[in-house]
Amino acid sequence: MTYCAIDFGTSNSALALARPGTPEVPRLIPLEGSNLTLPTAVFFNTDEHRQVFGRQAIAEYIDGYDGRLMRSLKSILGTHLADASTEIGDGASMPFTEIIGLFLRHLLQAAQREAGGPVTQAVMGRPVFFVDDDPKADAAAQSQLEAAARSVGLRDIVFQYEPIAAAFDYESTLDHEEVVLVVDIGGGTSDFSLVRVGPERVRQAERHDDVLGHYGVHVAGTDIDKRVALASVMRELGYQALDTLGREIPNRVYFDLSTWHLVNALYSPKRMSEFEQMKHLYVDPKHPTRMARVLRDRLGHGLIGVSEKAKIAVSNGGDTLVDMSVVESDLSMAFDEATMARAAAEDAARIVAAARETTRQAGVREHDVAAVYFTGGSTGLRFLADAIATAFPNATAVRGDPLASVAKGLGIYAQRLFGG
């Protein structure tokens, strides 16, 4: 029986597949063209009455096809939205968990094509906490994800913490034993595991005692994306501008416009009417004019994409020019790493505090951590990675594959469980 390992991520997903009849560790397979990762996105194209996934989903939405784009699906698990339905276009609706199932089915179909037959066993990654400080909601989130996976044909499902999976990938490169803090910062969660690793330990089937501690917070890349959007493009639409009485313009519309899964709600007649009723508050008439155009032409997700590009452009230093010509010709603004770091300082502090809390709960001194292993797309933000590394002064900073380390580690774990 062919088995697989699935990294269902908030921003990107990957899948590792066993090669039948061989002792090899499951390898990552292409999920979109030659790409080994797939953006976790579904677009319900109502113009052509079909669903598309990944990069194609985002491209068709940006190209102006009518429909509904869904991203950050993982962040819905464990919340009140998980049991709700959402509009997908043409008056139709679908439960959020069923949409997650559609995406998992797309991943599994790629695995089955590659395997040439059924794939029914899987190790699936999960964050340390789907939901912070709510064990009941966290357990519900895993149950919802498992139910979605079973609905598409997976029968034997085992979960593993994503940062622990990343530790398995790191361990495969070592020739000595050490204590490593795995830092896995993705789109929705920042997860940390303190793990004892080494070449002799690889051969052990049971590794429970090597996991010294794990902790996490529901603050990560999408939160920083929101901070960047608010610090850049939203200011040109009137965020934190003052009204005629010197008060700050109500900011709910800007926070929603900076949040992927809330953007579409702004296009409802009710929310459009709410904005119309506050247009008179603005001192600068450019701001409500631009915002009205964004809502009328449904430019919200495109603007989040613009701010995400700005984040990436300055992630390792320097500055960039944010192009907002989609809203108004010749509209742009300067943006740099220092501005991003200031905007995201509160989120960064929470993430660093969670890293420290991991070692505290494990009873390990920060000075005794030998390595900090970074994985997850958001660890590419220099200001954030540097802040974490500074908290562990004796540790070597090691960069894993930002998008594939977890999937590779889940594959290693899947081989130990199912490869016998």
Side-chain angles (χ1 to χ4, degrees), residues 61 68 255-268 271 294-295 298-302 304:
Y61 178 86
R68 177 75 188 275
F255 278 87
D256 288 358
L257 195 60
S258 302
T259 307
W260 268 101
H261 65 277
L262 297 179
V263 168
N264 280 295
L266 293 172
Y267 306 143
S268 69
R271 296 298 299 276
V294 167
L295 298 179
R298 301 193 171 199
L299 303 176
H301 285 110
I304 292 178

mmCIF file with all atom_site columns, all heavy atoms in Angstrom, residues 61 68 255-268 271 294-295 298-302 304:
data_model
loop_
_atom_site.group_PDB
_atom_site.id
_atom_site.type_symbol
_atom_site.label_atom_id
_atom_site.label_alt_id
_atom_site.label_comp_id
_atom_site.label_asym_id
_atom_site.label_entity_id
_atom_site.label_seq_id
_atom_site.pdbx_PDB_ins_code
_atom_site.Cartn_x
_atom_site.Cartn_y
_atom_site.Cartn_z
_atom_site.occupancy
_atom_site.B_iso_or_equiv
_atom_site.pdbx_formal_charge
_atom_site.auth_seq_id
_atom_site.auth_comp_id
_atom_site.auth_asym_id
_atom_site.auth_atom_id
_atom_site.pdbx_PDB_model_num
ATOM 1   N N   . TYR A 1 61  ? -8.160  34.823 -10.190 1.00 0.00 ? 61  TYR A N   1
ATOM 2   C CA  . TYR A 1 61  ? -8.834  35.867 -9.417  1.00 0.00 ? 61  TYR A CA  1
ATOM 3   C C   . TYR A 1 61  ? -8.284  37.241 -9.791  1.00 0.00 ? 61  TYR A C   1
ATOM 4   O O   . TYR A 1 61  ? -9.039  38.185 -10.046 1.00 0.00 ? 61  TYR A O   1
ATOM 5   C CB  . TYR A 1 61  ? -8.651  35.617 -7.919  1.00 0.00 ? 61  TYR A CB  1
ATOM 6   C CG  . TYR A 1 61  ? -9.280  36.696 -7.073  1.00 0.00 ? 61  TYR A CG  1
ATOM 7   C CD1 . TYR A 1 61  ? -10.620 36.629 -6.727  1.00 0.00 ? 61  TYR A CD1 1
ATOM 8   C CD2 . TYR A 1 61  ? -8.539  37.792 -6.641  1.00 0.00 ? 61  TYR A CD2 1
ATOM 9   C CE1 . TYR A 1 61  ? -11.220 37.633 -5.969  1.00 0.00 ? 61  TYR A CE1 1
ATOM 10  C CE2 . TYR A 1 61  ? -9.121  38.792 -5.892  1.00 0.00 ? 61  TYR A CE2 1
ATOM 11  C CZ  . TYR A 1 61  ? -10.463 38.709 -5.553  1.00 0.00 ? 61  TYR A CZ  1
ATOM 12  O OH  . TYR A 1 61  ? -11.034 39.707 -4.819  1.00 0.00 ? 61  TYR A OH  1
ATOM 13  N N   . ARG A 1 68  ? -15.147 33.316 -6.297  1.00 0.00 ? 68  ARG A N   1
ATOM 14  C CA  . ARG A 1 68  ? -14.754 33.465 -4.891  1.00 0.00 ? 68  ARG A CA  1
ATOM 15  C C   . ARG A 1 68  ? -13.399 32.810 -4.680  1.00 0.00 ? 68  ARG A C   1
ATOM 16  O O   . ARG A 1 68  ? -13.210 31.620 -4.972  1.00 0.00 ? 68  ARG A O   1
ATOM 17  C CB  . ARG A 1 68  ? -15.798 32.799 -3.984  1.00 0.00 ? 68  ARG A CB  1
ATOM 18  C CG  . ARG A 1 68  ? -15.461 32.823 -2.489  1.00 0.00 ? 68  ARG A CG  1
ATOM 19  C CD  . ARG A 1 68  ? -15.679 34.193 -1.896  1.00 0.00 ? 68  ARG A CD  1
ATOM 20  N NE  . ARG A 1 68  ? -15.177 34.276 -0.526  1.00 0.00 ? 68  ARG A NE  1
ATOM 21  C CZ  . ARG A 1 68  ? -15.853 33.910 0.569   1.00 0.00 ? 68  ARG A CZ  1
ATOM 22  N NH1 . ARG A 1 68  ? -17.074 33.417 0.461   1.00 0.00 ? 68  ARG A NH1 1
ATOM 23  N NH2 . ARG A 1 68  ? -15.313 34.052 1.774   1.00 0.00 ? 68  ARG A NH2 1
ATOM 24  N N   . PHE A 1 255 ? -8.974  46.947 8.694   1.00 0.00 ? 255 PHE A N   1
ATOM 25  C CA  . PHE A 1 255 ? -8.522  45.662 9.225   1.00 0.00 ? 255 PHE A CA  1
ATOM 26  C C   . PHE A 1 255 ? -9.125  44.513 8.418   1.00 0.00 ? 255 PHE A C   1
ATOM 27  O O   . PHE A 1 255 ? -8.440  43.541 8.103   1.00 0.00 ? 255 PHE A O   1
ATOM 28  C CB  . PHE A 1 255 ? -8.889  45.536 10.702  1.00 0.00 ? 255 PHE A CB  1
ATOM 29  C CG  . PHE A 1 255 ? -7.925  46.231 11.618  1.00 0.00 ? 255 PHE A CG  1
ATOM 30  C CD1 . PHE A 1 255 ? -8.071  47.577 11.929  1.00 0.00 ? 255 PHE A CD1 1
ATOM 31  C CD2 . PHE A 1 255 ? -6.840  45.551 12.158  1.00 0.00 ? 255 PHE A CD2 1
ATOM 32  C CE1 . PHE A 1 255 ? -7.167  48.221 12.747  1.00 0.00 ? 255 PHE A CE1 1
ATOM 33  C CE2 . PHE A 1 255 ? -5.929  46.182 12.985  1.00 0.00 ? 255 PHE A CE2 1
ATOM 34  C CZ  . PHE A 1 255 ? -6.089  47.533 13.287  1.00 0.00 ? 255 PHE A CZ  1
ATOM 35  N N   . ASP A 1 256 ? -10.402 44.636 8.069   1.00 0.00 ? 256 ASP A N   1
ATOM 36  C CA  . ASP A 1 256 ? -11.034 43.586 7.271   1.00 0.00 ? 256 ASP A CA  1
ATOM 37  C C   . ASP A 1 256 ? -10.422 43.522 5.872   1.00 0.00 ? 256 ASP A C   1
ATOM 38  O O   . ASP A 1 256 ? -10.228 42.434 5.314   1.00 0.00 ? 256 ASP A O   1
ATOM 39  C CB  . ASP A 1 256 ? -12.537 43.821 7.171   1.00 0.00 ? 256 ASP A CB  1
ATOM 40  C CG  . ASP A 1 256 ? -13.265 43.550 8.482   1.00 0.00 ? 256 ASP A CG  1
ATOM 41  O OD1 . ASP A 1 256 ? -12.594 43.137 9.459   1.00 0.00 ? 256 ASP A OD1 1
ATOM 42  O OD2 . ASP A 1 256 ? -14.489 43.756 8.532   1.00 0.00 ? 256 ASP A OD2 1
ATOM 43  N N   . LEU A 1 257 ? -10.099 44.677 5.306   1.00 0.00 ? 257 LEU A N   1
ATOM 44  C CA  . LEU A 1 257 ? -9.524  44.729 3.967   1.00 0.00 ? 257 LEU A CA  1
ATOM 45  C C   . LEU A 1 257 ? -8.097  44.191 3.942   1.00 0.00 ? 257 LEU A C   1
ATOM 46  O O   . LEU A 1 257 ? -7.567  43.870 2.888   1.00 0.00 ? 257 LEU A O   1
ATOM 47  C CB  . LEU A 1 257 ? -9.551  46.167 3.442   1.00 0.00 ? 257 LEU A CB  1
ATOM 48  C CG  . LEU A 1 257 ? -9.320  46.385 1.945   1.00 0.00 ? 257 LEU A CG  1
ATOM 49  C CD1 . LEU A 1 257 ? -10.380 45.671 1.114   1.00 0.00 ? 257 LEU A CD1 1
ATOM 50  C CD2 . LEU A 1 257 ? -9.293  47.874 1.619   1.00 0.00 ? 257 LEU A CD2 1
ATOM 51  N N   . SER A 1 258 ? -7.485  44.056 5.112   1.00 0.00 ? 258 SER A N   1
ATOM 52  C CA  . SER A 1 258 ? -6.121  43.522 5.220   1.00 0.00 ? 258 SER A CA  1
ATOM 53  C C   . SER A 1 258 ? -6.101  42.052 5.603   1.00 0.00 ? 258 SER A C   1
ATOM 54  O O   . SER A 1 258 ? -5.031  41.482 5.821   1.00 0.00 ? 258 SER A O   1
ATOM 55  C CB  . SER A 1 258 ? -5.333  44.322 6.271   1.00 0.00 ? 258 SER A CB  1
ATOM 56  O OG  . SER A 1 258 ? -5.287  45.689 5.944   1.00 0.00 ? 258 SER A OG  1
ATOM 57  N N   . THR A 1 259 ? -7.280  41.421 5.699   1.00 0.00 ? 259 THR A N   1
ATOM 58  C CA  . THR A 1 259 ? -7.404  40.040 6.161   1.00 0.00 ? 259 THR A CA  1
ATOM 59  C C   . THR A 1 259 ? -8.046  39.194 5.061   1.00 0.00 ? 259 THR A C   1
ATOM 60  O O   . THR A 1 259 ? -9.211  39.406 4.704   1.00 0.00 ? 259 THR A O   1
ATOM 61  C CB  . THR A 1 259 ? -8.265  39.969 7.436   1.00 0.00 ? 259 THR A CB  1
ATOM 62  O OG1 . THR A 1 259 ? -7.741  40.877 8.406   1.00 0.00 ? 259 THR A OG1 1
ATOM 63  C CG2 . THR A 1 259 ? -8.263  38.551 8.006   1.00 0.00 ? 259 THR A CG2 1
ATOM 64  N N   . TRP A 1 260 ? -7.278  38.224 4.531   1.00 0.00 ? 260 TRP A N   1
ATOM 65  C CA  . TRP A 1 260 ? -7.716  37.466 3.350   1.00 0.00 ? 260 TRP A CA  1
ATOM 66  C C   . TRP A 1 260 ? -9.149  36.970 3.453   1.00 0.00 ? 260 TRP A C   1
ATOM 67  O O   . TRP A 1 260 ? -9.942  37.164 2.539   1.00 0.00 ? 260 TRP A O   1
ATOM 68  C CB  . TRP A 1 260 ? -6.779  36.276 3.127   1.00 0.00 ? 260 TRP A CB  1
ATOM 69  C CG  . TRP A 1 260 ? -5.654  36.575 2.203   1.00 0.00 ? 260 TRP A CG  1
ATOM 70  C CD1 . TRP A 1 260 ? -4.358  36.854 2.531   1.00 0.00 ? 260 TRP A CD1 1
ATOM 71  C CD2 . TRP A 1 260 ? -5.705  36.647 0.765   1.00 0.00 ? 260 TRP A CD2 1
ATOM 72  N NE1 . TRP A 1 260 ? -3.608  37.092 1.402   1.00 0.00 ? 260 TRP A NE1 1
ATOM 73  C CE2 . TRP A 1 260 ? -4.401  36.966 0.308   1.00 0.00 ? 260 TRP A CE2 1
ATOM 74  C CE3 . TRP A 1 260 ? -6.724  36.462 -0.168  1.00 0.00 ? 260 TRP A CE3 1
ATOM 75  C CZ2 . TRP A 1 260 ? -4.102  37.111 -1.043  1.00 0.00 ? 260 TRP A CZ2 1
ATOM 76  C CZ3 . TRP A 1 260 ? -6.429  36.601 -1.516  1.00 0.00 ? 260 TRP A CZ3 1
ATOM 77  C CH2 . TRP A 1 260 ? -5.125  36.922 -1.933  1.00 0.00 ? 260 TRP A CH2 1
ATOM 78  N N   . HIS A 1 261 ? -9.494  36.291 4.544   1.00 0.00 ? 261 HIS A N   1
ATOM 79  C CA  . HIS A 1 261 ? -10.792 35.630 4.584   1.00 0.00 ? 261 HIS A CA  1
ATOM 80  C C   . HIS A 1 261 ? -11.937 36.565 4.957   1.00 0.00 ? 261 HIS A C   1
ATOM 81  O O   . HIS A 1 261 ? -13.095 36.148 5.003   1.00 0.00 ? 261 HIS A O   1
ATOM 82  C CB  . HIS A 1 261 ? -10.761 34.411 5.519   1.00 0.00 ? 261 HIS A CB  1
ATOM 83  C CG  . HIS A 1 261 ? -10.531 34.732 6.966   1.00 0.00 ? 261 HIS A CG  1
ATOM 84  N ND1 . HIS A 1 261 ? -9.278  34.932 7.481   1.00 0.00 ? 261 HIS A ND1 1
ATOM 85  C CD2 . HIS A 1 261 ? -11.387 34.874 7.993   1.00 0.00 ? 261 HIS A CD2 1
ATOM 86  C CE1 . HIS A 1 261 ? -9.366  35.187 8.781   1.00 0.00 ? 261 HIS A CE1 1
ATOM 87  N NE2 . HIS A 1 261 ? -10.634 35.156 9.106   1.00 0.00 ? 261 HIS A NE2 1
ATOM 88  N N   . LEU A 1 262 ? -11.642 37.853 5.211   1.00 0.00 ? 262 LEU A N   1
ATOM 89  C CA  . LEU A 1 262 ? -12.701 38.811 5.520   1.00 0.00 ? 262 LEU A CA  1
ATOM 90  C C   . LEU A 1 262 ? -12.966 39.783 4.379   1.00 0.00 ? 262 LEU A C   1
ATOM 91  O O   . LEU A 1 262 ? -13.961 40.511 4.402   1.00 0.00 ? 262 LEU A O   1
ATOM 92  C CB  . LEU A 1 262 ? -12.331 39.604 6.784   1.00 0.00 ? 262 LEU A CB  1
ATOM 93  C CG  . LEU A 1 262 ? -12.182 38.799 8.075   1.00 0.00 ? 262 LEU A CG  1
ATOM 94  C CD1 . LEU A 1 262 ? -11.786 39.714 9.230   1.00 0.00 ? 262 LEU A CD1 1
ATOM 95  C CD2 . LEU A 1 262 ? -13.482 38.056 8.409   1.00 0.00 ? 262 LEU A CD2 1
ATOM 96  N N   . VAL A 1 263 ? -12.093 39.799 3.391   1.00 0.00 ? 263 VAL A N   1
ATOM 97  C CA  . VAL A 1 263 ? -12.196 40.800 2.317   1.00 0.00 ? 263 VAL A CA  1
ATOM 98  C C   . VAL A 1 263 ? -13.526 40.706 1.588   1.00 0.00 ? 263 VAL A C   1
ATOM 99  O O   . VAL A 1 263 ? -14.209 41.717 1.356   1.00 0.00 ? 263 VAL A O   1
ATOM 100 C CB  . VAL A 1 263 ? -11.024 40.647 1.323   1.00 0.00 ? 263 VAL A CB  1
ATOM 101 C CG1 . VAL A 1 263 ? -11.275 41.475 0.074   1.00 0.00 ? 263 VAL A CG1 1
ATOM 102 C CG2 . VAL A 1 263 ? -9.721  41.070 1.978   1.00 0.00 ? 263 VAL A CG2 1
ATOM 103 N N   . ASN A 1 264 ? -13.941 39.500 1.218   1.00 0.00 ? 264 ASN A N   1
ATOM 104 C CA  . ASN A 1 264 ? -15.157 39.364 0.412   1.00 0.00 ? 264 ASN A CA  1
ATOM 105 C C   . ASN A 1 264 ? -16.400 39.899 1.107   1.00 0.00 ? 264 ASN A C   1
ATOM 106 O O   . ASN A 1 264 ? -17.329 40.364 0.443   1.00 0.00 ? 264 ASN A O   1
ATOM 107 C CB  . ASN A 1 264 ? -15.362 37.897 0.022   1.00 0.00 ? 264 ASN A CB  1
ATOM 108 C CG  . ASN A 1 264 ? -14.495 37.498 -1.150  1.00 0.00 ? 264 ASN A CG  1
ATOM 109 O OD1 . ASN A 1 264 ? -14.651 37.989 -2.248  1.00 0.00 ? 264 ASN A OD1 1
ATOM 110 N ND2 . ASN A 1 264 ? -13.556 36.606 -0.903  1.00 0.00 ? 264 ASN A ND2 1
ATOM 111 N N   . ALA A 1 265 ? -16.410 39.851 2.429   1.00 0.00 ? 265 ALA A N   1
ATOM 112 C CA  . ALA A 1 265 ? -17.575 40.351 3.165   1.00 0.00 ? 265 ALA A CA  1
ATOM 113 C C   . ALA A 1 265 ? -17.772 41.848 2.949   1.00 0.00 ? 265 ALA A C   1
ATOM 114 O O   . ALA A 1 265 ? -18.895 42.360 3.055   1.00 0.00 ? 265 ALA A O   1
ATOM 115 C CB  . ALA A 1 265 ? -17.419 40.053 4.655   1.00 0.00 ? 265 ALA A CB  1
ATOM 116 N N   . LEU A 1 266 ? -16.691 42.563 2.642   1.00 0.00 ? 266 LEU A N   1
ATOM 117 C CA  . LEU A 1 266 ? -16.788 44.009 2.434   1.00 0.00 ? 266 LEU A CA  1
ATOM 118 C C   . LEU A 1 266 ? -17.566 44.363 1.176   1.00 0.00 ? 266 LEU A C   1
ATOM 119 O O   . LEU A 1 266 ? -18.030 45.493 1.024   1.00 0.00 ? 266 LEU A O   1
ATOM 120 C CB  . LEU A 1 266 ? -15.390 44.625 2.342   1.00 0.00 ? 266 LEU A CB  1
ATOM 121 C CG  . LEU A 1 266 ? -14.549 44.600 3.613   1.00 0.00 ? 266 LEU A CG  1
ATOM 122 C CD1 . LEU A 1 266 ? -13.131 45.073 3.316   1.00 0.00 ? 266 LEU A CD1 1
ATOM 123 C CD2 . LEU A 1 266 ? -15.181 45.484 4.676   1.00 0.00 ? 266 LEU A CD2 1
ATOM 124 N N   . TYR A 1 267 ? -17.706 43.400 0.263   1.00 0.00 ? 267 TYR A N   1
ATOM 125 C CA  . TYR A 1 267 ? -18.383 43.674 -0.993  1.00 0.00 ? 267 TYR A CA  1
ATOM 126 C C   . TYR A 1 267 ? -19.899 43.452 -0.905  1.00 0.00 ? 267 TYR A C   1
ATOM 127 O O   . TYR A 1 267 ? -20.606 43.629 -1.897  1.00 0.00 ? 267 TYR A O   1
ATOM 128 C CB  . TYR A 1 267 ? -17.809 42.791 -2.101  1.00 0.00 ? 267 TYR A CB  1
ATOM 129 C CG  . TYR A 1 267 ? -16.307 42.877 -2.262  1.00 0.00 ? 267 TYR A CG  1
ATOM 130 C CD1 . TYR A 1 267 ? -15.552 41.752 -2.591  1.00 0.00 ? 267 TYR A CD1 1
ATOM 131 C CD2 . TYR A 1 267 ? -15.627 44.078 -2.064  1.00 0.00 ? 267 TYR A CD2 1
ATOM 132 C CE1 . TYR A 1 267 ? -14.164 41.829 -2.749  1.00 0.00 ? 267 TYR A CE1 1
ATOM 133 C CE2 . TYR A 1 267 ? -14.248 44.159 -2.206  1.00 0.00 ? 267 TYR A CE2 1
ATOM 134 C CZ  . TYR A 1 267 ? -13.529 43.029 -2.542  1.00 0.00 ? 267 TYR A CZ  1
ATOM 135 O OH  . TYR A 1 267 ? -12.157 43.099 -2.689  1.00 0.00 ? 267 TYR A OH  1
ATOM 136 N N   . SER A 1 268 ? -20.384 43.067 0.259   1.00 0.00 ? 268 SER A N   1
ATOM 137 C CA  . SER A 1 268 ? -21.822 42.860 0.432   1.00 0.00 ? 268 SER A CA  1
ATOM 138 C C   . SER A 1 268 ? -22.535 44.210 0.429   1.00 0.00 ? 268 SER A C   1
ATOM 139 O O   . SER A 1 268 ? -21.953 45.245 0.793   1.00 0.00 ? 268 SER A O   1
ATOM 140 C CB  . SER A 1 268 ? -22.106 42.135 1.748   1.00 0.00 ? 268 SER A CB  1
ATOM 141 O OG  . SER A 1 268 ? -21.819 42.991 2.848   1.00 0.00 ? 268 SER A OG  1
ATOM 142 N N   . ARG A 1 271 ? -22.244 46.078 3.843   1.00 0.00 ? 271 ARG A N   1
ATOM 143 C CA  . ARG A 1 271 ? -20.966 46.712 4.174   1.00 0.00 ? 271 ARG A CA  1
ATOM 144 C C   . ARG A 1 271 ? -20.676 47.899 3.239   1.00 0.00 ? 271 ARG A C   1
ATOM 145 O O   . ARG A 1 271 ? -20.087 48.903 3.651   1.00 0.00 ? 271 ARG A O   1
ATOM 146 C CB  . ARG A 1 271 ? -19.828 45.698 4.111   1.00 0.00 ? 271 ARG A CB  1
ATOM 147 C CG  . ARG A 1 271 ? -19.913 44.568 5.124   1.00 0.00 ? 271 ARG A CG  1
ATOM 148 C CD  . ARG A 1 271 ? -19.856 45.066 6.572   1.00 0.00 ? 271 ARG A CD  1
ATOM 149 N NE  . ARG A 1 271 ? -18.609 45.764 6.856   1.00 0.00 ? 271 ARG A NE  1
ATOM 150 C CZ  . ARG A 1 271 ? -17.460 45.164 7.202   1.00 0.00 ? 271 ARG A CZ  1
ATOM 151 N NH1 . ARG A 1 271 ? -17.429 43.843 7.295   1.00 0.00 ? 271 ARG A NH1 1
ATOM 152 N NH2 . ARG A 1 271 ? -16.382 45.872 7.488   1.00 0.00 ? 271 ARG A NH2 1
ATOM 153 N N   . VAL A 1 294 ? -11.814 50.746 -4.580  1.00 0.00 ? 294 VAL A N   1
ATOM 154 C CA  . VAL A 1 294 ? -11.351 49.416 -4.155  1.00 0.00 ? 294 VAL A CA  1
ATOM 155 C C   . VAL A 1 294 ? -12.537 48.496 -3.905  1.00 0.00 ? 294 VAL A C   1
ATOM 156 O O   . VAL A 1 294 ? -12.547 47.333 -4.332  1.00 0.00 ? 294 VAL A O   1
ATOM 157 C CB  . VAL A 1 294 ? -10.478 49.536 -2.886  1.00 0.00 ? 294 VAL A CB  1
ATOM 158 C CG1 . VAL A 1 294 ? -10.256 48.159 -2.253  1.00 0.00 ? 294 VAL A CG1 1
ATOM 159 C CG2 . VAL A 1 294 ? -9.145  50.186 -3.208  1.00 0.00 ? 294 VAL A CG2 1
ATOM 160 N N   . LEU A 1 295 ? -13.557 49.005 -3.234  1.00 0.00 ? 295 LEU A N   1
ATOM 161 C CA  . LEU A 1 295 ? -14.724 48.178 -2.926  1.00 0.00 ? 295 LEU A CA  1
ATOM 162 C C   . LEU A 1 295 ? -15.554 47.907 -4.178  1.00 0.00 ? 295 LEU A C   1
ATOM 163 O O   . LEU A 1 295 ? -16.001 46.769 -4.393  1.00 0.00 ? 295 LEU A O   1
ATOM 164 C CB  . LEU A 1 295 ? -15.575 48.864 -1.855  1.00 0.00 ? 295 LEU A CB  1
ATOM 165 C CG  . LEU A 1 295 ? -14.897 49.080 -0.491  1.00 0.00 ? 295 LEU A CG  1
ATOM 166 C CD1 . LEU A 1 295 ? -15.840 49.779 0.476   1.00 0.00 ? 295 LEU A CD1 1
ATOM 167 C CD2 . LEU A 1 295 ? -14.413 47.758 0.104   1.00 0.00 ? 295 LEU A CD2 1
ATOM 168 N N   . ARG A 1 298 ? -13.610 45.552 -6.411  1.00 0.00 ? 298 ARG A N   1
ATOM 169 C CA  . ARG A 1 298 ? -13.165 44.348 -5.698  1.00 0.00 ? 298 ARG A CA  1
ATOM 170 C C   . ARG A 1 298 ? -11.649 44.151 -5.816  1.00 0.00 ? 298 ARG A C   1
ATOM 171 O O   . ARG A 1 298 ? -11.164 43.113 -6.278  1.00 0.00 ? 298 ARG A O   1
ATOM 172 C CB  . ARG A 1 298 ? -13.919 43.117 -6.210  1.00 0.00 ? 298 ARG A CB  1
ATOM 173 C CG  . ARG A 1 298 ? -15.423 43.249 -6.032  1.00 0.00 ? 298 ARG A CG  1
ATOM 174 C CD  . ARG A 1 298 ? -16.158 41.952 -6.226  1.00 0.00 ? 298 ARG A CD  1
ATOM 175 N NE  . ARG A 1 298 ? -17.555 42.081 -5.845  1.00 0.00 ? 298 ARG A NE  1
ATOM 176 C CZ  . ARG A 1 298 ? -18.367 41.071 -5.550  1.00 0.00 ? 298 ARG A CZ  1
ATOM 177 N NH1 . ARG A 1 298 ? -17.895 39.826 -5.606  1.00 0.00 ? 298 ARG A NH1 1
ATOM 178 N NH2 . ARG A 1 298 ? -19.609 41.277 -5.203  1.00 0.00 ? 298 ARG A NH2 1
ATOM 179 N N   . LEU A 1 299 ? -10.924 45.147 -5.371  1.00 0.00 ? 299 LEU A N   1
ATOM 180 C CA  . LEU A 1 299 ? -9.469  45.140 -5.478  1.00 0.00 ? 299 LEU A CA  1
ATOM 181 C C   . LEU A 1 299 ? -8.777  44.668 -4.203  1.00 0.00 ? 299 LEU A C   1
ATOM 182 O O   . LEU A 1 299 ? -7.558  44.692 -4.112  1.00 0.00 ? 299 LEU A O   1
ATOM 183 C CB  . LEU A 1 299 ? -8.976  46.559 -5.823  1.00 0.00 ? 299 LEU A CB  1
ATOM 184 C CG  . LEU A 1 299 ? -9.542  47.183 -7.097  1.00 0.00 ? 299 LEU A CG  1
ATOM 185 C CD1 . LEU A 1 299 ? -9.038  48.615 -7.259  1.00 0.00 ? 299 LEU A CD1 1
ATOM 186 C CD2 . LEU A 1 299 ? -9.188  46.344 -8.314  1.00 0.00 ? 299 LEU A CD2 1
ATOM 187 N N   . GLY A 1 300 ? -9.554  44.251 -3.202  1.00 0.00 ? 300 GLY A N   1
ATOM 188 C CA  . GLY A 1 300 ? -8.986  43.943 -1.893  1.00 0.00 ? 300 GLY A CA  1
ATOM 189 C C   . GLY A 1 300 ? -7.882  42.909 -1.903  1.00 0.00 ? 300 GLY A C   1
ATOM 190 O O   . GLY A 1 300 ? -6.788  43.139 -1.387  1.00 0.00 ? 300 GLY A O   1
ATOM 191 N N   . HIS A 1 301 ? -8.143  41.738 -2.493  1.00 0.00 ? 301 HIS A N   1
ATOM 192 C CA  . HIS A 1 301 ? -7.127  40.691 -2.482  1.00 0.00 ? 301 HIS A CA  1
ATOM 193 C C   . HIS A 1 301 ? -5.897  41.103 -3.290  1.00 0.00 ? 301 HIS A C   1
ATOM 194 O O   . HIS A 1 301 ? -4.766  40.757 -2.937  1.00 0.00 ? 301 HIS A O   1
ATOM 195 C CB  . HIS A 1 301 ? -7.702  39.379 -3.033  1.00 0.00 ? 301 HIS A CB  1
ATOM 196 C CG  . HIS A 1 301 ? -8.605  38.678 -2.065  1.00 0.00 ? 301 HIS A CG  1
ATOM 197 N ND1 . HIS A 1 301 ? -9.957  38.591 -2.245  1.00 0.00 ? 301 HIS A ND1 1
ATOM 198 C CD2 . HIS A 1 301 ? -8.342  38.050 -0.894  1.00 0.00 ? 301 HIS A CD2 1
ATOM 199 C CE1 . HIS A 1 301 ? -10.497 37.924 -1.239  1.00 0.00 ? 301 HIS A CE1 1
ATOM 200 N NE2 . HIS A 1 301 ? -9.540  37.585 -0.402  1.00 0.00 ? 301 HIS A NE2 1
ATOM 201 N N   . GLY A 1 302 ? -6.124  41.841 -4.362  1.00 0.00 ? 302 GLY A N   1
ATOM 202 C CA  . GLY A 1 302 ? -4.987  42.328 -5.128  1.00 0.00 ? 302 GLY A CA  1
ATOM 203 C C   . GLY A 1 302 ? -4.105  43.253 -4.311  1.00 0.00 ? 302 GLY A C   1
ATOM 204 O O   . GLY A 1 302 ? -2.871  43.191 -4.404  1.00 0.00 ? 302 GLY A O   1
ATOM 205 N N   . ILE A 1 304 ? -3.771  43.177 -1.007  1.00 0.00 ? 304 ILE A N   1
ATOM 206 C CA  . ILE A 1 304 ? -3.027  42.345 -0.057  1.00 0.00 ? 304 ILE A CA  1
ATOM 207 C C   . ILE A 1 304 ? -1.818  41.726 -0.755  1.00 0.00 ? 304 ILE A C   1
ATOM 208 O O   . ILE A 1 304 ? -0.728  41.647 -0.188  1.00 0.00 ? 304 ILE A O   1
ATOM 209 C CB  . ILE A 1 304 ? -3.936  41.254 0.545   1.00 0.00 ? 304 ILE A CB  1
ATOM 210 C CG1 . ILE A 1 304 ? -4.994  41.882 1.453   1.00 0.00 ? 304 ILE A CG1 1
ATOM 211 C CG2 . ILE A 1 304 ? -3.100  40.247 1.341   1.00 0.00 ? 304 ILE A CG2 1
ATOM 212 C CD1 . ILE A 1 304 ? -5.963  40.886 2.053   1.00 0.00 ? 304 ILE A CD1 1
#
